[in-house]
Amino acid sequence: MLNFTDKLRAAQAQTGSRLCIGLDPDMSKMPPKFRFITGLVDFNCAIIDATHDLACGYKLNWAFYEQYGIDGLRALERTLEHLHKTAPHLVTIADAKRGDIGNTSNAYAKAVFEAFACDAVTVAPYMGRDSVQPFLDYADKYTFVLALTSNQGSQDFQRLPLADGSPLYQHVIRTALTWTQHENVGFVVGATHPDDLATARMLAPTAAMLIPGVGAQGGDVAATLAANGDGMAIINASRAVLYASSGTDFAERAREVAMSLQKNLVLSESDLP
Amino acid sequence: MLNFTDKLRAAQAQTGSRLCIGLDPDMSKMPPKFRFITGLVDFNCAIIDATHDLACGYKLNWAFYEQYGIDGLRALERTLEHLHKTAPHLVTIADAKRGDIGNTSNAYAKAVFEAFACDAVTVAPYMGRDSVQPFLDYADKYTFVLALTSNQGSQDFQRLPLADGSPLYQHVIRTALTWTQHENVGFVVGATHPDDLATARMLAPTAAMLIPGVGAQGGDVAATLAANGDGMAIINASRAVLYASSGTDFAERAREVAMSLQKNLVLSESDLP
């Protein structure tokens, strides 16, 4: 089995793109005929079918499924089944932002990597090393630690200056890099902070960065690419692609937006293997 | 409908105890005859039936159910159904440690408070105000923000000194208190740090504290109670109760341990309404 970074490099080379599409279903924004649980799966499958040659992977945010209880999680499972069948060469990211004491994080790691068979996960760093270690212990999988997120609330704690003057998020990056020998830790840095992305890239030159916040959240694509440089990066768009139209042409319009993003996120010659 | 703190006060008065039991099923520690998914529900129900007159509430950690995929979450749902039927007057805490950008935390709040109908939730603070606000907007529900957790990794970031000299966890407490007008924010502070619990209590005198770490994690009950003083507190034990025996007497033994903890966690006269 390929490890995550090999799989990601191959997927990016094949599709020529660092675009990741976030499958975050929001019934209120979908065409009316999909606004029920199995409709949600059909909607996701239509998006996947329309875009899988343009994206290096898909990111599934657990919240958007959990909100519908068990039926929603069944929809998540069925979406992943379709992904694994249709595009097994693309990476799947469980955007779950988990983290708990060691024996509990063991169970979360088993959930996302085994029960739901995703290739990567997002985790929250607040509870420290033993809350992240169980994810890192899956050597072929990949763990993206939240560093500087794309939202307004990233100002509240992530940028707090520590006693040595550096902001918390930089300390998180420096510390988490020491937690694994498998080169399977990366970071979430929002596209809404290009200057900090450049700093994060300097601190972690070989880590993969998961970069949300282009599209609906307003992150600038060109500034993001410039800040990231040649490093391994996955640039996620969710709402901008999924809800490009709420009409019957939603899949075609999603493809158009994905294609436009893909063109802007094309790999440079030096990124290709 | 009672709000959370009224419900908690009534439950603590009725049972005379601040004990909360964590229903964190681990098949490897259960009696062999329960080691399958529906057995897990039967195990939980037996624990609930044997202890519900001794505890003010139950805390369910999502990880231990998610690790078994959809079937595990079905077991979580069925456990909650049994709780709501058998002990509707006790509080239920979704120990999910969630937190994400605003529109996503909306969905998580809907999941724990509506789809799974819990009374309270635990959330991670790293992503800041807009990641916690959607939970706080449920005025009758209660949100426990992670402050200083019971695990070793709590040293990594939570205790970091900020530029003003105070540790991060204290800044989290001070900040989160400003996020709601509903008096529905409390904090997780591990029983493994009694001195810091006293500090947290000073910073947030009227908040409810969710205190894990007695029992298997080694927190000292007497020191915890002394540090907490008269403030509203829920003291959680999971493994010490659930796995008091792996024999056929597991429920009786769980009751004995719960009874012993309940006696030690009895409310003082001044705590009773």
Side-chain angles (χ1 to χ4, degrees):
Chain A
M1 199 176 91
L2 288 176
N3 71 24
F4 176 81
T5 47
D6 290 340
K7 185 173 178 178
L8 176 62
R9 279 200 190 88
Q12 292 194 332
Q14 182 167 344
T15 60
S17 177
R18 287 174 281 204
L19 173 65
C20 175
I21 296 175
L23 294 170
D24 301 348
D26 178 341
M27 285 196 196
S28 69
K29 292 179 186 150
M30 289 181 187
K33 75 167 183 164
F34 293 105
R35 294 180 186 177
F36 56 100
I37 293 286
T38 55
L40 189 156
V41 179
D42 294 339
F43 176 84
N44 281 345
C45 292
I47 295 283
I48 293 165
D49 293 346
T51 57
H52 67 78
D53 57 326
L54 304 170
C56 63
Y58 291 86
K59 180 172 83 60
L60 294 97
N61 191 309
W62 255 234
F64 290 93
Y65 301 89
E66 278 191 12
Q67 69 180 324
Y68 302 116
I70 301 290
D71 291 340
L73 289 153
R74 181 83 64 199
L76 169 63
E77 188 179 57
R78 289 184 52 208
T79 301
L80 281 165
E81 281 165 13
H82 186 76
L83 265 176
H84 293 145
K85 196 175 64 181
T86 310
H89 56 294
L90 303 184
V91 300
T92 50
I93 303 173
D95 191 6
K97 301 186 173 70
R98 296 299 193 258
D100 209 312
I101 66 173
N103 75 317
T104 308
S105 273
N106 272 338
Y108 276 132
K110 198 175 157 202
V112 295
F113 292 147
E114 298 187 35
F116 290 97
C118 288
D119 298 315
V121 68
T122 58
V123 303
Y126 191 71
M127 291 183 66
R129 181 175 187 151
D130 59 321
S131 71
V132 177
Q133 195 68 55
F135 298 96
L136 298 172
D137 287 345
Y138 284 77
D140 291 333
K141 306 286 189 175
Y142 208 83
T143 299
F144 291 98
V145 176
L146 299 182
L148 187 62
T149 53
S150 55
N151 61 324
Q152 181 63 33
S154 62
Q155 309 296 330
D156 291 329
F157 304 123
Q158 299 168 16
R159 283 187 184 283
L160 279 179
L162 301 179
D164 70 1
S166 69
L168 174 61
Y169 85 87
Q170 294 177 15
H171 185 77
V172 167
I173 293 175
R174 283 192 298 263
T175 306
L177 284 170
T178 68
W179 290 344
T180 178
Q181 301 302 315
H182 302 306
E183 300 191 344
N184 63 344
V185 68
F187 299 94
V188 175
V189 180
T192 45
H193 314 281
D195 291 349
D196 301 276
L197 175 58
T199 307
R201 180 46 84 199
M202 202 174 61
L203 293 171
T206 62
M209 297 288 172
L210 174 59
I211 305 173
V214 302
Q217 293 183 68
D220 181 279
V221 171
T224 297
L225 291 182
N228 179 66
D230 286 339
M232 214 175 352
I234 299 173
I235 296 169
N236 186 77
S238 300
R239 289 170 272 182
V241 175
L242 265 57
Y243 311 116
S245 160
S246 62
T248 53
D249 62 342
F250 74 97
E252 294 84 342
R253 293 290 301 283
R255 181 173 176 78
E256 286 166 21
V257 172
M259 198 175 281
S260 150
L261 283 166
Q262 183 240 24
K263 280 194 187 131
N264 290 322
L265 298 176
V266 72
L267 296 171
S268 62
E269 287 295 318
S270 65
D271 292 332
L272 293 172
Chain B
M1 200 176 92
L2 288 176
N3 71 25
F4 176 81
T5 49
D6 290 340
K7 185 174 179 179
L8 176 63
R9 279 199 190 89
Q12 292 194 331
Q14 182 167 343
T15 60
S17 177
R18 287 174 281 204
L19 173 64
C20 175
I21 296 176
L23 295 171
D24 301 347
D26 178 343
M27 286 196 196
S28 69
K29 293 179 184 150
M30 289 180 187
K33 75 166 182 165
F34 293 105
R35 294 181 186 177
F36 56 101
I37 293 286
T38 56
L40 187 156
V41 179
D42 293 340
F43 176 84
N44 281 346
C45 292
I47 295 283
I48 293 164
D49 293 347
T51 58
H52 66 79
D53 58 327
L54 303 170
C56 63
Y58 291 87
K59 180 172 82 60
L60 294 97
N61 192 309
W62 254 234
F64 291 93
Y65 302 88
E66 279 192 10
Q67 69 180 324
Y68 303 116
I70 300 291
D71 291 340
L73 288 154
R74 181 84 65 199
L76 169 63
E77 187 178 58
R78 289 184 52 207
T79 301
L80 281 165
E81 280 165 11
H82 186 76
L83 265 175
H84 293 144
K85 197 174 63 180
T86 310
H89 57 296
L90 304 183
V91 300
T92 49
I93 303 171
D95 192 4
K97 302 188 173 71
R98 296 299 192 259
D100 208 313
I101 67 172
N103 76 317
T104 309
S105 273
N106 272 338
Y108 276 131
K110 197 175 158 203
V112 294
F113 292 147
E114 298 187 36
F116 290 96
C118 287
D119 298 314
V121 67
T122 58
V123 302
Y126 190 72
M127 291 183 66
R129 180 174 190 153
D130 61 320
S131 72
V132 178
Q133 196 67 57
F135 298 96
L136 298 171
D137 287 344
Y138 284 77
D140 292 334
K141 306 286 189 176
Y142 208 82
T143 299
F144 292 99
V145 175
L146 300 181
L148 188 62
T149 53
S150 55
N151 61 325
Q152 182 63 34
S154 63
Q155 309 296 331
D156 291 329
F157 304 123
Q158 299 167 17
R159 283 188 185 283
L160 279 179
L162 301 180
D164 70 1
S166 70
L168 174 61
Y169 85 89
Q170 293 178 15
H171 185 76
V172 167
I173 293 175
R174 281 193 299 263
T175 305
L177 284 170
T178 69
W179 289 344
T180 177
Q181 301 302 315
H182 303 306
E183 299 192 345
N184 63 344
V185 68
F187 299 95
V188 175
V189 181
T192 45
H193 314 281
D195 292 348
D196 300 276
L197 175 58
T199 307
R201 180 46 84 199
M202 201 174 62
L203 293 172
T206 62
M209 298 287 173
L210 175 58
I211 305 172
V214 303
Q217 294 183 67
D220 182 279
V221 171
T224 297
L225 291 181
N228 180 66
D230 286 340
M232 212 172 356
I234 299 172
I235 297 168
N236 187 78
S238 301
R239 288 170 273 182
V241 175
L242 265 57
Y243 311 115
S245 160
S246 62
T248 53
D249 62 343
F250 74 97
E252 295 85 342
R253 293 289 301 283
R255 181 172 177 78
E256 286 166 21
V257 173
M259 198 175 281
S260 150
L261 283 166
Q262 183 240 22
K263 280 194 186 128
N264 290 323
L265 298 176
V266 73
L267 296 171
S268 62
E269 287 293 319
S270 65
D271 292 332
L272 293 172

